Amino acid sequence: MSVPHVSKPVEFGDPKFGDFCVEYPNGLVDLSRSNHLDQQEHSGIDITEEPGAQPGSSVTTPTLRPGQLDIPVTGDKTVRLDTNKTAFVIIDMQNFFLHQDIRDHPKGLACVDPLMKVVPFFRDNNIKILWVNWGLGDDELSTIPPSLARGFNANHGYRGFGSKLRGEFGRVLIKGEKNTELYGPLQGLFEDGRDKGTDFWIYKNRMSGLWNQTPLEDFLKENEIKTLLFAGVNADDCVLGTIIDANHKGYDCILVEDTTATTSPDITYQAVLYNAGNTKFLVLNPHE
């Protein structure tokens, strides 16, 4: 489900400040923060007419500028991004959650191929790639809240954070261990981007990557990021938790559907999609 098109152009946010977006009847949602409605007569514009529109409801949409990108989303809409202010946040695509020798997560593994396509697409469009992953230091083990430690044990069947896994995977979600590396070809994909300066590894120590003043939020503020595209596992846990906190903090949140999955029953995933479609946007195959 998605929010219907607006009947006339609407600007959301306070026009006195730079944090705003504009939505148009033809389905364009302009998140670039570059064209206030009352300033558009001073910039280059395209004027189109929405099919079936009411008389007098002309659709005025700003011209796509260099450094901007239009991507299709659900609800027959298009989101316009300022690529310098956009980041692709990929959450927990790690061996611990995906490797077949640790657990069975076929839906998560199905996200790998789409990520291998969409990450280069976003890189080529100057969007930063942020690999946000669990990675604890020994000093952090004592700061994990009891509720999280208990819930994690119940869900994953291990003794808990820092305990030893079988084989060569090391200790559960400790920095530098094999289980905290990205799964399969994703590790190489990250390393290629890291060497090019397009990809960044950011550790988190809670389900959400934005639960407090975290390394992720520090990065977003330092780089003046406003719009976040999301991928990863699990959709109804760490991905959703980060999206909710990001939304509360005022970031634009866009869920990339074919790169997100969960081990939970499908009804929980559908609930995530439903809520995202009502308050955010679902990207449809942006690499095609």
Side-chain angles (χ1 to χ4, degrees), residues 117-175:
K117 297 175 183 177
V118 75
V119 166
F121 171 81
F122 285 147
R123 282 180 188 162
D124 290 345
N125 282 281
N126 199 38
I127 291 174
K128 293 178 174 60
I129 312 298
L130 309 184
W131 301 85
V132 179
N133 300 304
W134 277 100
L136 300 171
D138 283 319
D139 58 324
E140 293 178 290
L141 293 176
S142 61
T143 66
I144 296 292
S147 59
L148 177 57
R150 179 181 180 277
F152 190 91
N153 285 7
N155 290 333
H156 295 283
Y158 298 100
R159 293 191 301 275
F161 297 107
S163 61
K164 184 71 169 65
L165 290 164
R166 60 183 177 272
E168 302 296 321
F169 288 103
R171 299 165 64 202
V172 171
L173 297 180
I174 298 297
K175 292 178 181 178

Side-chain angles (χ1 to χ4, degrees), residues 84-138:
N84 285 316
K85 297 178 180 178
T86 302
F88 186 30
V89 180
I90 307 168
I91 297 175
D92 292 350
M93 294 294 289
Q94 299 169 275
N95 282 324
F96 182 77
F97 300 103
L98 296 175
H99 200 286
Q100 299 92 323
D101 290 342
I102 298 178
R103 77 184 72 256
D104 185 25
H105 197 342
K107 293 179 181 178
L109 293 177
C111 295
V112 174
D113 284 346
L115 278 171
M116 297 296 293
K117 297 175 183 177
V118 75
V119 166
F121 171 81
F122 285 147
R123 282 180 188 162
D124 290 345
N125 282 281
N126 199 38
I127 291 174
K128 293 178 174 60
I129 312 298
L130 309 184
W131 301 85
V132 179
N133 300 304
W134 277 100
L136 300 171
D138 283 319

